[in-house]
Amino acid sequence: LRVYGAFKSICDKHNLRYYAAGGTKIGAVLWSGFIPWDDDIDLVMPQPDLVTFLDVAKKELSKDFAVFDAITSPHGDIIGIKVYSNSTMFTSNNLIGYPDSFTGVFIDIFPLIGAPSGAVSRARFIDGITKIKDEMYLKKLFAIGDTPTKELIKAYKAQAAKYTFDDSEYIFNPANSHKEEYRR
């Protein structure tokens, strides 16, 4: 909750939008709080707001907190960022071999990006970004695949920027592509 408070403070100051997602959303509905066995807070944030947050967090987060950008890092197990506490230590089995990716106790923030309006073109677009995401995951964590990580990151960023969040009728969370697709 302290990590969330630091994140929320910056978002409030800069009018940045974010929403509960995943287990956090389920916990809010079913338990009026956390899922008893959950280990983090999951949020989604419009891509432009996420970019702004990353920029201002460098200057405004206190030394007690830090940001791990799992999208652009050489090793990361999510498509998003983690805001974490510097006074704690946390890693997952997926990242145990990559100390550069260790964080403290964290909140996950996933991007919300725009998608095309037509059902068929939207499905193709989401499938394409999901393919890139899956290739990045395999390359970053298991060194599987021929495409260099930097090229996969570049391809992901190009696709994610194809449709602007605020001008799109549909949006989705590329970390959970077909399960978190919404009419904006």
Side-chain angles (χ1 to χ4, degrees):
L1 289 173
R2 284 186 32 239
V3 176
Y4 171 72
F7 168 79
K8 182 180 181 322
S9 175
I10 290 174
C11 290
D12 289 348
K13 179 178 178 183
H14 295 279
N15 297 312
L16 302 176
R17 302 163 289 181
Y18 63 93
Y19 312 95
T24 300
K25 185 169 50 176
I26 293 167
V29 172
L30 299 179
W31 282 273
S32 299
F34 289 104
I35 294 175
W37 55 86
D38 206 353
D39 64 355
D40 68 349
I41 292 174
D42 296 316
L43 304 170
V44 289
M45 188 174 223
Q47 181 69 27
D49 295 49
L50 183 61
V51 169
T52 300
F53 177 82
L54 284 168
D55 185 49
V56 297
K58 293 174 192 172
K59 303 169 205 145
E60 297 184 19
L61 264 182
S62 80
K63 64 178 176 39
D64 299 330
F65 305 100
V67 175
F68 174 71
D69 185 343
I71 296 171
T72 60
S73 72
H75 306 104
D77 61 348
I78 65 168
I79 293 293
I81 68 170
K82 297 177 185 225
V83 178
Y84 65 93
S85 165
N86 279 324
S87 63
T88 61
M89 175 60 169
F90 182 90
T91 194
S92 66
N93 287 338
N94 288 339
L95 296 172
I96 200 74
Y98 306 108
D100 60 305
S101 298
F102 291 6
T103 66
V105 172
F106 61 89
I107 62 172
D108 282 329
I109 302 137
F110 303 104
L112 280 176
I113 63 176
S117 294
V120 172
S121 57
R122 186 168 56 257
R124 282 190 194 128
F125 178 72
I126 291 172
D127 286 346
I129 241 176
T130 299
K131 183 177 183 250
I132 295 167
K133 174 194 74 166
D134 292 347
E135 284 183 58
M136 280 184 8
Y137 180 82
L138 290 172
K139 187 68 170 184
K140 287 181 174 194
L141 296 179
F142 307 109
I144 295 172
D146 296 328
T147 308
T149 302
K150 287 183 181 184
E151 285 184 36
L152 291 168
I153 291 167
K154 185 177 177 181
Y156 167 79
K157 285 184 166 191
Q159 285 298 102
K162 207 168 194 175
Y163 300 94
T164 61
F165 177 87
D166 289 307
D167 294 330
S168 295
E169 181 182 1
Y170 287 89
I171 58 171
F172 75 102
N173 171 3
N176 201 6
S177 304
H178 289 285
K179 295 179 184 162
E180 292 187 33
E181 174 188 345
Y182 312 99
R183 181 173 238 138
R184 185 179 58 80

